[in-house]
């Protein structure tokens, strides 16, 4: 069910401000692609264009093409709501629905899709929580509020919620930046497990993390504050970290700036 | 920020302590400023408690002698003759009119108010939401006597066809039975009260809806929620306690509203046959007291009216207590 993403010549705007310019890249199915780069370089902004979450922000718009296999996500007959049902997203801070139980959080996406049968829901909730390595920790308290879990558990709950609807692609926007090292490790292991089934794109500020979890890495940079961010290069992760073809990438990775 | 651990400063969010919110902490230094401000704050808190207690005691003190002389059942009688040696008075009609008109007001104002608040915060384009919010606030500033005047002189005619329609179609149902009264019916008072409390419901609901964390809304949207589904899964649950508080505040206002109701209401003559119909006239606690303010010439009479006021006091108290309980029970799910 994993699909390929082809982006060509994408410009991203906030109102008049061009935040990201001229991105062209391919994201392979069943792989992990990491976006790295200094703050403000537009990697999160770009990530959000891949499931049309960017346009939720007033003034947010894009130019260019994003193809999911052969379907242009920005074609005029495509419903952004349908896009977001196919391409799931996990955010920087865990955001389980605070008024819902653990069970209801995972079932939320299915219920939005009109699934009502208790048996089907039970099944998917268990499968998703197992998929997110959370089942054993929460199986005895599925009816307790999701907000009562630890930060790392909450983030895995959000991942369970995202995979419950069986998306084609999973986008993760710095999913570990609000977590402690142990929870971070748990999420990274999970990403490793998930990539056999999903196309995963992850934004991270943590280069070790990019090196650990990703197959391919894209380096974004911006010329100066107020200028649009650009994709500098995208390549196999071990090449980016050991032998990048652009000098700026090497400078960033070796800590000479950023 | 540490790029090694992936932990950022954003992680250090203080968690709420489970201790009593009233409990002091060890931050007090015993310096003059601390003691002074601490004393003032404690004093202000104590003052409120004292005021409520004193008002309650005052009402009881004045009401008890009158109640002791009452020869009718205070809670179930409709009579109201408080002069003379054999006072007979009861509050059932006042209670019914007050509660029924306020409930009608709630039934109309809460859904509309929540709808307006959702429109302003979630649907309206930015250039419209600010003026719309100000307009609603302006509605809250209209003096109640103006509502009363407008209700009697203009709005009355607009509601009459609705009343006639309901009476002719649903007259078989006791609540909508025909009464022949056309003027300040309970139904009409309810509608005017609804308009008066609408801004309260709207303003407070708007405030809480606007505070819905973006993370919750985006969480819903990223799952493929439509705007309405996003509102249902994140905005409404987040705003629920606020909407309940707003409704209770509005209900308190509706229960106690005096001038507009006094102005509009069709007082029933003592011999008038009683019915449960919403198209009956009647008086609320507040309007009965206001209408008879000139009569407060003996402790006996005054006491009877104060007893009625006491019931209103208890009623609003209970309403607030229920609101508290409802909010508390949901607390585990609102972090």
């Amino acid at each position: 069910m994993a699909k390929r993403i082809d982006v060509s010549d994408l410009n991203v705007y906030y109102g008049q401000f061009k935040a990201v310019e001229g991105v062209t890249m391919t994201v392979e199915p069943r792989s992990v692609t990491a976006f790295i780069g200094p703050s403000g370089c537009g990697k999160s902004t770009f990530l959000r264009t891949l499931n049309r979450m960017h346009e939720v922000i007033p003034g947010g718009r894009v130019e260019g093409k994003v193809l999911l296999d052969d379907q242009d996500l920005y074609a005029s007959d495509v419903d952004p709501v349908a896009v977001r049902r196919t391409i799931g997203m996990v955010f920087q801070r865990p955001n389980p629905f605070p008024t819902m139980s653990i069970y209801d959080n995972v079932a939320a996406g299915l219920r939005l899709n009109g699934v009502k049968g208790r048996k089907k829901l039970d099944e998917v909730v268990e499968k998703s929580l197992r998929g997110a390595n959370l089942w054993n920790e929460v199986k005895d308290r599925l009816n307790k509020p999701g907000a009562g879990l630890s930060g790392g558990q909450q983030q895995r709950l959000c991942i369970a919620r995202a995979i419950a609807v069986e998306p084609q692609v999973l986008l993760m926007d710095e999913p570990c930046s609000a977590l402690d090292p142990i929870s971070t490790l748990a999420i990274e292991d999970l990403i490793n497990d998930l990539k056999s089934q999903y196309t995963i794109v992850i934004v991270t500020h943590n280069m070790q993390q990019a090196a650990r979890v990703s197959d391919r890495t894209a380096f974004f940079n911006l010329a100066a504050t107020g200028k649009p961010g650009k994709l500098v290069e995208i390549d196999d992760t071990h090449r980016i970290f050991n032998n990048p073809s652009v000098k700026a990438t090497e400078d960033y990775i070796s800590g000479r700036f950023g | 920020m540490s790029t090694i651990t992936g932990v950022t400063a954003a992680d250090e969010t203080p968690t709420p302590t489970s201790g009593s919110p009233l409990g002091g902490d060890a931050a007090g230094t015993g310096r003059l400023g601390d003691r002074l401000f601490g004393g003032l704050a404690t004093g202000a808190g104590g003052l409120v408690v004292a005021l409520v207690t004193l008002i309650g005691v005052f009402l009881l003190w004045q009401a008890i002698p009158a109640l002791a002389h009452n020869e009718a059942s205070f809670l179930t009688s409709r009579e109201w003759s408080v002069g003379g040696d054999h006072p007979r008075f009861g509050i059932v009609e006042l209670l019914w009119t007050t509660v029924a008109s306020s409930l009608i007001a709630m039934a109309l104002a809460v859904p509309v108010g929540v709808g307006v608040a959702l429109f302003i915060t979630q649907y309206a384009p930015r250039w419209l939401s600010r003026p719309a919010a100000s307009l609603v606030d302006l509605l809250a500033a209209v003096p109640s006597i103006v509502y009363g005047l407008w209700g009697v002189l203009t709005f009355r005619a607009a509601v009459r066809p609705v009343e006639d329609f309901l009476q002719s179609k649903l007259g078989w149902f006791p609540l909508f039975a025909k009464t022949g009264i056309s003027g300040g019916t309970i139904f009409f008072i309810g509608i005017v009260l609804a308009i008066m409390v609408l801004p309260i419901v709207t303003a407070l609901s708007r405030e809480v809806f606007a505070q819905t964390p973006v993370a919750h809304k985006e969480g819903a949207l990223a799952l493929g929620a439509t705007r309405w589904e996003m509102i249902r899964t994140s905005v409404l649950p987040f705003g629920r306690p606020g909407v309940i508080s707003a409704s209770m505040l509005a209900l308190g206002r509706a229960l106690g509203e005096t001038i507009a109701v006094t102005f509009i209401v069709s007082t029933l003559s003592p011999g008038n046959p009683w019915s449960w119909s919403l198209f009956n006239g009647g008086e609320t606690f507040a309007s009965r007291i206001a209408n008879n303010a000139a009569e407060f010439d003996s402790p006996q009479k005054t006491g009877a009216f104060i007893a009625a006021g006491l019931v209103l006091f208890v009623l609003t108290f209970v309403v607030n207590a229920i609101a508290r309980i409802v909010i508390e029970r949901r607390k585990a799910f609102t972090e």
Side-chain angles (χ1 to χ4, degrees):
Chain A
M1 56 186 152
K3 287 191 177 173
R4 170 203 312 274
I5 303 174
D6 273 300
V7 182
S8 48
D9 251 331
L10 196 79
N11 296 326
V12 191
Y13 295 86
Y14 290 105
Q16 291 307 305
F17 176 66
K18 193 193 248 184
V20 180
E21 184 178 61
V23 176
T24 299
M25 72 160 69
T26 299
V27 175
E28 297 295 337
R30 287 188 202 80
S31 72
V32 178
T33 303
F35 293 175
I36 59 170
S39 297
C41 69
K43 53 195 187 306
S44 289
T45 302
F46 173 66
L47 184 81
R48 291 167 62 98
T49 64
L50 299 182
N51 69 341
R52 299 191 63 169
M53 277 298 282
H54 175 64
E55 57 204 87
V56 168
I57 298 162
R61 64 195 170 84
V62 302
E63 289 166 357
K65 266 192 178 166
V66 179
L67 300 182
L68 184 67
D69 280 359
D70 292 317
Q71 170 69 55
D72 184 357
L73 297 185
Y74 285 91
S76 56
D77 60 337
V78 170
D79 178 6
V81 168
V83 170
R84 294 179 204 131
R85 289 190 182 186
T86 336
I87 304 181
M89 188 162 200
V90 176
F91 295 85
Q92 186 170 356
R93 303 208 49 125
N95 60 347
F97 299 125
T99 52
M100 289 186 195
S101 67
I102 293 170
Y103 183 99
D104 290 339
N105 259 290
V106 182
L110 291 162
R111 289 195 171 127
L112 290 177
N113 281 317
V115 178
K116 288 215 176 67
R118 187 72 191 184
K119 215 174 137 216
K120 170 79 177 158
L121 285 176
D122 284 348
E123 210 172 276
V124 176
V125 167
E126 177 170 351
K127 187 175 149 218
S128 309
L129 284 170
R130 280 190 195 282
N133 288 338
L134 192 60
W135 175 252
N136 286 329
E137 291 157 66
V138 301
K139 65 180 176 210
D140 299 323
R141 46 172 169 156
L142 292 174
N143 292 318
K144 293 273 161 23
L149 299 171
S150 77
Q153 291 172 323
Q154 285 188 25
Q155 194 62 299
R156 276 180 282 150
L157 177 61
C158 291
I159 294 174
R161 180 176 72 185
I163 61 177
V165 289
E166 308 200 325
Q168 311 285 351
V169 179
L170 201 54
L171 307 177
M172 297 182 160
D173 187 0
E174 299 186 45
C176 302
S177 66
L179 305 180
D180 66 72
I182 294 174
S183 309
T184 299
L185 201 66
I187 303 273
E188 288 181 6
D189 287 345
L190 178 56
I191 291 172
N192 251 320
D193 297 342
L194 291 174
K195 79 171 177 186
S196 59
Q197 293 178 60
Y198 299 96
T199 305
I200 296 176
V201 183
I202 177 172
V203 169
T204 177
H205 264 125
N206 178 337
M207 278 181 280
Q208 283 79 358
Q209 182 171 63
R212 282 192 300 264
V213 301
S214 72
D215 304 302
R216 286 171 67 79
T217 298
F219 173 58
F220 286 79
N221 203 356
L222 75 175
T225 318
K227 291 268 167 56
K230 288 182 175 175
L231 173 65
V232 176
E233 64 175 316
I234 176 167
D235 210 331
D236 290 343
T237 297
H238 71 92
R239 274 193 58 123
I240 290 278
F241 279 90
N242 296 312
N243 188 18
S245 37
V246 181
K247 176 82 165 46
T249 314
E250 192 180 346
D251 287 349
Y252 182 71
I253 283 163
S254 56
R256 251 165 280 176
F257 81 93
Chain B
M1 178 195 307
S2 160
T3 49
I4 307 293
T5 60
V7 175
T8 67
D11 203 21
E12 314 297 339
T13 321
T15 46
T17 50
S18 55
S20 153
L22 292 174
D25 53 30
T29 58
R31 292 186 199 173
L32 180 65
D34 249 353
R35 274 183 291 150
L36 202 66
F37 187 75
L40 281 174
T42 313
L47 187 69
V48 172
V49 176
L51 273 177
V52 174
T53 317
L54 282 174
I55 291 172
V57 168
F58 159 80
L59 291 174
L60 269 176
W61 187 259
Q62 301 277 316
I64 285 172
L67 286 173
H69 286 100
N70 187 10
E71 293 181 4
S73 162
F74 180 63
L75 291 176
T76 58
S77 166
R78 291 182 55 216
E79 290 174 80
W80 197 271
S81 55
V82 292
D85 291 337
H86 301 284
R88 298 179 63 82
F89 57 92
I91 53 154
V92 68
E93 182 194 314
L94 303 180
L95 187 66
W96 166 248
T97 312
T98 307
V99 171
S101 60
S102 297
L103 288 182
I104 293 171
M106 286 300 101
L108 296 171
V110 172
V112 176
V114 167
V116 173
L118 285 177
F119 169 74
I120 291 173
T121 57
Q122 312 296 325
Y123 285 96
R126 231 186 264 181
W127 60 266
L128 183 63
S129 64
R130 241 169 216 283
S134 312
L135 201 70
V136 173
D137 290 345
L138 207 65
L139 208 57
V142 175
S144 53
I145 185 69
V146 174
Y147 281 106
L149 281 168
W150 172 74
V152 168
L153 299 176
T154 309
F155 193 47
R156 180 69 235 136
V159 175
R160 191 162 296 150
V162 180
E163 291 188 347
D164 291 344
F165 175 80
L166 284 173
Q167 289 182 67
S168 66
K169 297 289 173 200
L170 296 168
W172 50 270
F173 190 62
L175 275 181
F176 299 109
K178 261 191 179 0
T179 57
I181 290 180
S182 70
T185 61
I186 295 174
F187 182 79
F188 180 58
I189 296 170
I191 295 178
V192 174
L193 285 176
I195 297 168
M196 294 179 72
V197 300
L198 182 66
I200 301 179
V201 179
T202 307
L204 292 175
S205 307
R206 173 171 58 90
E207 212 114 294
V208 283
F209 291 156
Q211 283 168 10
T212 312
V214 176
H216 296 173
K217 297 206 278 184
E218 291 196 333
L221 289 172
L223 277 180
T226 61
R227 194 182 320 221
W228 158 237
E229 287 165 341
M230 180 272 282
I231 288 171
R232 215 181 52 200
T233 45
S234 61
V235 178
L236 285 180
F238 179 83
R240 195 185 139 114
V243 172
I244 294 173
S245 318
S247 309
M248 290 306 148
L249 215 66
L251 183 54
R253 166 104 196 258
L255 288 170
E257 173 52 37
T258 311
I259 286 298
V261 174
T262 310
F263 213 78
I264 294 171
V265 78
S266 293
T267 311
L268 292 174
S269 51
N272 213 307
W274 167 254
S275 85
W276 292 101
S277 176
L278 295 178
F279 300 108
N280 210 346
E283 276 188 283
T284 65
F285 286 111
S287 77
R288 161 102 8 125
I289 296 170
N291 265 331
N292 296 284
E295 275 188 45
F296 294 0
D297 47 16
S298 73
Q300 170 61 43
K301 280 187 185 173
T302 315
F305 288 104
I306 285 180
L310 180 67
V311 177
L312 183 59
F313 181 75
V314 172
L315 196 63
T316 44
F317 210 83
V318 169
V319 164
N320 275 308
I322 293 173
R324 281 278 141 230
I325 292 167
V326 172
I327 294 168
E328 286 294 320
R329 273 174 53 187
R330 295 291 304 177
K331 222 172 199 174
F333 280 89
T334 49
E335 247 309 274

